[in-house]
């Protein structure tokens, strides 16, 4: 998979993409990530990327030209262009699965007070990561790329994400490791029983019980 990210703050991505599982996925060539500063595409003599809003009002608005030119230089028939915006559709695990099957993703990180409405016409999907407002789309694009990369074949063990929270609208079941008793807290006996049928049953029940308790809204789906 190839991922291009358009941002005015490329430095924000450095640590996130050079650590842990994403770092390894890049080294193993499971994914190729390129960060583009769309200021470099500005045809303005001062490399301006924003301007005042028509009709007046506070703040500056990202202009079309640098973003259009940057996207058009990267886009092929295999590309999916994604705009990060608080008014996008709510990002969910199902969308992560769908996007993990794409060949090429282009993320556009909005910033400042907003972007020219016509930028939306460049995009195939608009995504939001939750009902709160971030200073820009950068963190959202990192959240989304992280959740997609871990699903790419060979990045983590297949089994590790078959039981992920949110698959089938259920939260993950509880897990334990050694020691068997820590500060008086015991590992449930069934997990030590060696009875795989019973363990599977316990995990399924716990998954449902936990979802009922913590996220009843998921069960309604
Ligand atoms: Cl994608 N962008 C911004 N700026 N704020 C957000 C968001 C995205 N998702 C939730 N809040």
């Amino acid at each position: 998979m190839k991922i291009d990210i358009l941002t005015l703050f490329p430095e924000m991505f450095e640590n996130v993409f050079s650590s842990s599982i994403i770092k390894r996925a890049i080294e193993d060539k499971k994914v190729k990530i390129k960060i583009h500063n769309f200021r470099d595409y500005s045809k303005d003599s001062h490399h301006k990327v924003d301007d005042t809003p028509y009709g007046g009002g506070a703040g500056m608005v990202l202009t079309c030209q640098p973003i259009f030119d940057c996207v058009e230089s990267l886009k092929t028939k295999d590309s999916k262009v994604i705009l990060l915006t608080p008014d996008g559709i709510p990002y969910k695990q199902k969308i992560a699965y769908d996007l993990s099957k794409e060949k090429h993703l282009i993320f556009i990180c909005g910033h400042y007070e907003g972007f020219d409405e016509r930028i939306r016409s460049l995009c195939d999907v608009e995504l939001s990561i939750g009902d709160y407002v971030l200073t820009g789309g950068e963190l959202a694009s990192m959240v989304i790329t992280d959740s997609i990369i871990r699903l790419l074949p060979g990045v983590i063990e297949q089994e590790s994400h078959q039981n992920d929270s949110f698959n089938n609208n259920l939260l993950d079941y509880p897990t334990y490791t050694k020691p068997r008793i820590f500060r008086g807290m015991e590992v449930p006996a069934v997990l030590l029983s060696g009875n795989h049928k019973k363990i599977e049953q316990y995990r399924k029940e716990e998954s449902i019980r936990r979802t009922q308790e913590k996220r009843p809204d998921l069960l309604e789906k």
Side-chain angles (χ1 to χ4, degrees):
M1 173 182 279
K2 209 175 130 209
I3 300 177
D4 287 296
I5 301 177
L6 278 61
T7 174
L8 292 173
F9 302 94
E11 68 283 357
M12 284 180 73
F13 294 83
E14 282 163 21
N15 289 320
V16 172
F17 292 157
S18 60
S19 318
S20 182
I21 290 168
I22 302 196
K23 174 189 179 175
R24 200 182 61 206
I26 294 168
E27 286 171 355
D28 294 347
K29 302 200 162 41
K30 310 282 189 212
V31 64
K32 198 168 169 182
I33 306 178
K34 249 180 127 173
I35 312 294
H36 306 267
N37 189 338
F38 58 83
R39 189 179 296 282
D40 298 340
Y41 290 76
S42 173
K43 288 183 173 143
D44 176 84
S45 57
H46 299 99
H47 296 287
K48 233 167 98 93
V49 289
D50 56 5
D51 216 323
T52 53
Y54 278 120
M60 298 293 273
V61 177
L62 291 174
T63 58
C64 290
Q65 181 271 316
I67 292 179
F68 269 71
D69 283 358
C70 186
V71 169
E72 284 164 359
S73 76
L74 298 167
K75 200 173 159 161
T76 70
K77 64 170 180 26
D78 292 325
S79 311
K80 195 145 205 159
V81 182
I82 300 164
L83 182 67
L84 285 329
T85 170
D87 62 13
I89 63 170
Y91 187 63
K92 295 276 152 65
Q93 188 67 18
K94 165 78 169 74
I95 305 177
Y97 273 106
D98 292 344
L99 292 178
S100 73
K101 296 182 179 105
E102 296 286 337
K103 287 199 179 93
H104 182 207
L105 302 175
I106 301 175
F107 288 98
I108 303 173
C109 303
H111 224 274
Y112 299 149
E113 282 78 11
F115 48 82
D116 190 302
E117 189 65 18
R118 292 165 290 191
I119 288 169
R120 294 186 201 267
S121 71
L122 268 178
C123 303
D124 300 301
V125 211
E126 299 178 11
L127 294 176
S128 160
I129 61 163
D131 293 341
Y132 40 81
V133 180
L134 302 168
T135 55
E138 282 76 11
L139 289 167
S141 75
M142 290 182 229
V143 166
I144 292 171
T145 48
D146 181 287
S147 66
I148 291 169
I149 289 169
R150 69 186 283 285
L151 297 177
L152 297 176
V155 171
I156 57 174
E157 273 179 77
Q158 194 73 6
E159 223 190 294
S160 302
H161 56 72
Q162 262 157 16
N163 300 318
D164 277 347
S165 284
F166 307 113
N167 284 350
N168 322 112
N169 286 319
L170 287 176
L171 299 181
D172 207 355
Y173 52 75
T175 55
Y176 298 85
T177 186
K178 293 174 190 75
R180 192 175 68 76
I181 305 174
F182 181 74
R183 296 195 181 171
M185 296 179 282
E186 286 192 38
V187 173
V190 59
L191 295 177
L192 311 166
S193 69
N195 184 333
H196 294 291
K197 238 192 161 113
K198 270 196 170 158
I199 291 171
E200 201 187 322
Q201 173 79 2
Y202 160 84
R203 286 178 168 165
K204 196 164 196 171
E205 284 167 10
E206 281 302 304
S207 199
I208 294 167
R209 197 186 56 72
R210 185 174 269 209
T211 311
Q212 247 153 7
E213 188 182 302
K214 296 184 171 182
R215 292 290 306 276
D217 58 299
L218 291 176
L219 290 173
E220 281 152 28
K221 286 178 186 162

